[in-house]
Amino acid sequence: MKAVVENEHGGPEVLTVSEIPTPELGPDDVLIDVAAAGLNRADALQRQGKYPVPEGASSVYGLEVSGTVRALGDDAARTSFLKEGHKVVALLAGGGYAEQVVVNHAQVLPAPANIDLEEAAGLPEVAATVWSNLFGPGGLNPDGPRKKDGEQSVLIHGGTGGIGTHALQLCRALGYHVFTTVGSAEKVAWVEDLLARQDEANAAKNAPRTLGQATVINYREQDFSEIIREQTQGVGVRAILDVVGGKYLESNVASLSVNGLLTVIAVQGGRHGSMDLGALMTKRATVRGTTLRALTSEKKGEILRLMAGTVWRMVSDGLIDPLVGRRFGLDEVRAAHEFFDSADQRGKTVLVMG
């Protein structure tokens, strides 16, 4: 089968398509004929040599796919809902940039209704990341805001990326006031257009939800912590999902409410920062860092099961758009990474097999 294997590190030019054997099917595994694979920031970091493959994971790039079940191991066939021919998505530790992939059945879900498989490929990694980091222990209520301790609001950094756009749509659909940061007036307009389309999709429903307010902040011209302080009357936000890291640390802590939670999932703005520990203590707030890739199959499966009922329904209803902006063939993997690395990247980019 064709696949993109990690061989050397550098820019997109190091990526090549090779012929490799089909992976072996274990008793708990599912063999999937891949329709499409989503690109993620972790893929670019792995390409640059900054994100080592976890022990035991495939050296083939790719953390999320959609496709069709080709075969099941004996235990997977006996214990899972999956059958040959099912249209599915999968959350991976690696192996997605390939025509076929083997993955533990716990990491597989039915593809959402009302979208195509290429769109579905952009969902598993972002949906699991957002859900596990915003709605886990100490985080937001997955049923919507509890009107106390600032839980009415949340801050999402990187509002035009795959993580940011998914988190923005989900939290707003649940009724939270969402603050999000972007880096230009053009990106502000792009996010506002996304919000308008979500409003239209909601209005078309037989039983529309009460969507939360959204505030889009151009961080090059505005101080997000000051805007949050003003719009929340000094309460702050209950949770922050941060992909920037060091340079935002102090402002993030300043933006938290009492009992607030700051989760750092990437360090695009640097690995080091400073903060006021007194403010952290006074607010009884929590700062944590997480990664999804190295979690066990059982833990990933638990996250998928917890999020799927809510998120998949919203995707099928049009309240969450996977926002696949560009689609590239597997043989165009270099061009896909060049685009992904550029300032033109919005939402999700996918590699299409076949």
Side-chain angles (χ1 to χ4, degrees):
M1 69 175 187
K2 290 182 176 181
V4 182
V5 181
E6 180 181 14
N7 290 315
E8 56 181 318
H9 298 136
E13 70 278 359
V14 305
L15 299 172
T16 58
V17 178
S18 306
E19 287 284 345
I20 66 171
T22 300
E24 294 184 5
L25 184 68
D28 291 316
D29 293 337
V30 181
L31 175 63
I32 299 171
D33 289 331
V34 177
L39 272 66
N40 289 281
R41 184 61 54 191
D43 302 343
L45 293 173
Q46 180 179 334
R47 189 198 74 220
Q48 296 163 8
K50 299 177 180 178
Y51 197 166
V53 176
E55 184 176 355
S58 171
S59 60
V60 174
Y61 286 90
L63 302 181
E64 59 184 351
V65 298
S66 63
T68 304
V69 175
R70 166 64 68 92
L72 297 99
D74 291 342
D75 291 347
R78 187 178 67 254
T79 61
S80 79
F81 68 92
L82 296 164
K83 304 293 182 185
E84 292 180 12
H86 277 182
K87 305 299 183 184
V88 295
V89 298
L91 177 65
L92 312 172
Y97 290 15
E99 292 176 317
Q100 292 182 312
V101 67
V102 162
V103 60
N104 187 289
H105 68 84
Q107 297 168 230
V108 182
L109 285 176
N114 301 328
I115 63 171
D116 64 40
L117 281 177
E118 293 176 13
E119 292 176 299
L123 284 169
E125 175 75 13
V126 295
T129 297
V130 169
W131 190 269
S132 61
N133 286 297
L134 284 180
F135 300 97
L140 301 176
N141 177 18
D143 295 322
R146 291 183 291 236
K147 303 294 185 180
K148 63 179 182 179
D149 293 337
E151 196 166 338
Q152 304 96 307
S153 57
V154 57
L155 169 61
I156 309 297
H157 289 300
T160 59
I163 296 288
T165 52
H166 183 88
L168 170 61
Q169 294 176 91
L170 171 60
C171 292
R172 188 169 181 250
L174 290 171
Y176 288 95
H177 180 178
V178 184
F179 296 89
T180 190
T181 58
V182 298
S184 70
E186 182 273 329
K187 289 183 176 180
V188 170
W190 188 90
V191 173
E192 289 177 343
D193 179 69
L194 169 62
L195 297 170
R197 286 186 279 118
Q198 189 183 33
D199 287 337
E200 291 174 2
N202 186 55
K205 289 170 54 65
N206 291 330
R209 290 174 172 265
T210 301
L211 300 184
Q213 183 182 347
T215 301
V216 188
I217 302 166
N218 182 347
Y219 66 79
R220 299 187 189 277
E221 298 179 354
Q222 301 166 291
D223 182 339
F224 68 82
S225 63
E226 186 63 24
I227 290 174
I228 289 170
R229 186 187 65 79
E230 292 173 357
Q231 293 199 16
T232 65
Q233 290 76 52
V235 171
V237 296
R238 181 64 176 77
I240 301 174
L241 189 60
D242 181 33
V243 296
V244 177
K247 72 177 184 179
Y248 276 4
L249 184 56
E250 189 165 13
S251 294
N252 278 336
V253 171
S255 300
L256 286 172
S257 70
V258 171
N259 296 320
L261 173 65
L262 164 61
T263 302
V264 181
I265 60 170
V267 287
Q268 296 174 25
R271 299 166 65 92
H272 303 284
S274 62
M275 66 177 176
D276 182 347
L277 290 173
L280 188 71
M281 294 164 63
T282 300
K283 294 181 176 185
R284 302 186 297 281
T286 300
V287 179
R288 68 178 181 183
T290 69
T291 60
L292 180 65
R293 187 176 190 178
L295 296 179
T296 64
S297 294
E298 292 74 18
K299 184 60 179 177
K300 289 177 179 176
E302 178 185 343
I303 293 167
L304 292 175
R305 290 191 298 273
L306 288 171
M307 72 86 181
T310 298
V311 175
W312 264 213
R313 182 172 63 253
M314 290 184 180
V315 171
S316 298
D317 287 348
L319 290 178
I320 295 178
D321 186 338
L323 291 169
V324 174
R326 291 289 301 273
R327 309 177 193 212
F328 294 84
L330 182 62
D331 291 333
E332 300 174 300
V333 64
R334 292 180 181 178
H337 269 242
E338 287 171 357
F339 175 76
F340 188 84
D341 289 350
S342 75
D344 296 329
Q345 161 72 15
R346 302 283 187 278
K348 292 292 293 189
T349 298
V350 300
L351 293 174
V352 179
M353 310 302 152

